[in-house]
Amino acid sequence: LPSGVTVVSASASQCSGTVATTSNSISLSGGTIPANGTCTVQATVTSSTPAVYNNTSGFISTAESGTNSGAGGSASASLTVLAPPAISKSFSPNPIYSGGTSTLTFTISNPNASTALSGVAFTDLLPLGLSVPTGPTTPQCGGTVSQSPSGSRTLISFTGGTLGKAGTISASCDITVTVTSSTVASYANTTGTVSDTTAGTGNTGSDTLGVQAVHPSIGMLKQISTSPSGPWSKTINVAANGSVYYLLTIENTGDQPLSPVSVTDPNLN
């Protein structure tokens, strides 16, 4: 067998003969094939390394005809071992302020140039304190995105996704879900493994969302002038019965939008 392919199992009695195996070879001895008949030898093999494995058998031989080293005396086949889909995840923006929202993006991709993938699926159990304020958009990436309670936490699920062959525009796809939290903390989050119906189980994706405390704050500067166009200063000298003008400048000095904002000055008359 090619390097990287190993034998898992094979029945010892096949074709009225004996099948012997090692980790990387299969052999039949003492077999019988009836006239004008056929016989099949089967073995289960595996590989943990994605690749295309080309394999050609040795020449077949019998006591009656000897070794057939010509056409039809050996057989060839190719085994394609697929790589599973891959997943990564990220929060943006990150960090957010308490009560704000962040977009959680899952990126799934197909590393196989020869085969599209179907039935792509994964789950993500959000940390306690992180939630999905509105149902996620579905479908995405050809599959269904949903959320459901899991105890006191939120479970995001994706099923039935499709990915094109590597090198095509559909080989990678983003799934987005809006999340929020009102509790200041650092939320480390790792998905379950991503999988599909053909290539099997892949990796997990991880990221950490920071949620910061809000600090609302407002400031005001009051200045005076004898002209409506300035110049402005904190103090001026003015003749009796002269006109004065005030300029009030309001500044948001915190980290949150402020609304509504109002100003009164009870000392003016």
Side-chain angles (χ1 to χ4, degrees):
L1 297 177
S3 176
V5 178
T6 57
V7 178
V8 175
S9 63
S11 174
S13 178
Q14 299 187 57
C15 292
S16 300
T18 301
V19 175
T21 62
T22 66
S23 63
N24 62 353
S25 69
I26 305 164
S27 63
L28 170 69
S29 61
T32 300
I33 304 174
N36 298 315
T38 61
C39 182
T40 301
V41 175
Q42 294 182 325
T44 301
V45 299
T46 189
S47 176
S48 59
T49 304
V52 177
Y53 296 95
N54 298 312
N55 179 223
T56 300
S57 72
F59 293 116
I60 191 169
S61 65
T62 69
E64 291 80 11
S65 64
T67 300
N68 181 356
S69 58
S74 63
S76 298
S78 294
L79 172 66
T80 300
V81 178
L82 299 176
I87 188 171
S88 62
K89 67 178 296 184
S90 63
F91 294 98
S92 181
N94 190 6
I96 61 172
Y97 291 109
S98 173
T101 61
S102 178
T103 299
L104 171 56
T105 300
F106 305 95
T107 300
I108 54 175
S109 58
N110 177 13
N112 301 289
S114 62
T115 306
L117 301 180
S118 62
V120 180
F122 67 86
T123 60
D124 187 15
L125 183 61
L126 297 180
L128 183 65
L130 199 62
S131 62
V132 178
T134 58
T137 299
T138 190
Q140 297 186 57
C141 297
T144 301
V145 187
S146 62
Q147 64 154 333
S148 59
S150 180
S152 55
R153 300 165 68 179
T154 299
L155 180 69
I156 298 170
S157 300
F158 175 73
T159 58
T162 57
L163 292 170
K165 298 176 183 179
T168 66
I169 192 170
S170 60
S172 179
C173 189
D174 290 340
I175 299 155
T176 59
V177 178
T178 300
V179 298
T180 188
S181 178
S182 59
T183 303
V184 174
S186 180
Y187 295 95
N189 182 215
T190 299
T191 70
T193 54
V194 63
S195 64
D196 82 308
T197 56
T198 305
T201 301
N203 66 324
T204 61
S206 299
D207 197 17
T208 299
L209 175 66
V211 178
Q212 301 177 342
V214 296
H215 302 92
S217 177
I218 192 171
M220 185 170 70
L221 175 65
K222 183 177 182 180
Q223 296 173 295
I224 191 170
S225 175
T226 56
S227 168
S229 59
W232 304 95
S233 61
K234 290 186 176 181
T235 61
I236 60 170
N237 296 318
V238 62
N241 298 319
S243 296
V244 293
Y245 300 86
Y246 289 98
L247 175 67
L248 302 179
T249 303
I250 306 169
E251 180 182 6
N252 183 347
T253 55
D255 50 29
Q256 291 291 295
L258 300 176
S259 178
V261 176
S262 61
V263 177
T264 59
D265 190 342
N267 298 318
L268 294 179
N269 53 49

